[in-house]
Amino acid sequence: MQIQAKQAGKLSKMLLLIGLSLGYFMVLLDTTVVSVALPAIRADLGGGIAGLQWVVNAYTIVFAGLLLSMGAFADKLGAKRVYIGGLGLFLAASAFSAFVPSLGALIGLRAILGIGGAAL
């Protein structure tokens, strides 16, 4: 009986590590993938260099600015809640980013992605 409980505990820890790793992978991927897409973003949505810089920087600035605050929220509300909330916000903002009509909307959604990424 103890062997089954020990195996279940190991499986639970392994699934937790996989979930956390996938969330962090999404955060890192989002910081780099937009750099590759910048020429396509410029072709589709227009904008100059300053606008494209904001597409990249909106995510990074919000992510870095809220990282410590999200840690405090996780202490108060529970790490699981903050993680799941951040994951939902990140996925929703990422999905909406695919269909934005303007560069300004993309910059706003990238900032929202930064909030979700900080929560992750």
Side-chain angles (χ1 to χ4, degrees):
M1 194 68 129
Q2 286 181 340
I3 294 173
Q4 287 179 338
K6 202 179 243 188
Q7 288 176 343
K10 284 184 180 181
L11 178 64
S12 174
K13 287 180 182 179
M14 187 173 69
L15 289 174
L16 176 64
L17 180 62
I18 289 170
L20 291 173
S21 297
L22 286 175
Y24 190 63
F25 172 74
M26 286 178 8
V27 168
L28 290 177
L29 180 68
D30 198 59
T31 59
T32 58
V33 75
V34 75
S35 298
V36 175
L38 284 176
I41 292 170
R42 185 172 185 171
D44 288 347
L45 301 177
I49 296 294
L52 294 176
Q53 285 176 332
W54 273 109
V55 169
V56 175
N57 292 337
Y59 175 83
T60 308
I61 290 170
V62 173
F63 175 76
L66 293 179
L67 201 53
L68 293 175
S69 300
M70 288 300 170
F73 278 134
D75 289 342
K76 290 182 181 182
L77 301 174
K80 186 176 181 179
R81 269 189 193 163
V82 173
Y83 183 84
I84 291 173
L87 182 63
L89 182 63
F90 192 89
L91 291 174
S94 186
F96 287 129
S97 293
F99 303 106
V100 295
S102 69
L103 193 62
L106 180 61
I107 292 168
L109 283 169
R110 294 279 301 161
I112 294 170
L113 273 168
I115 298 168
L120 287 174

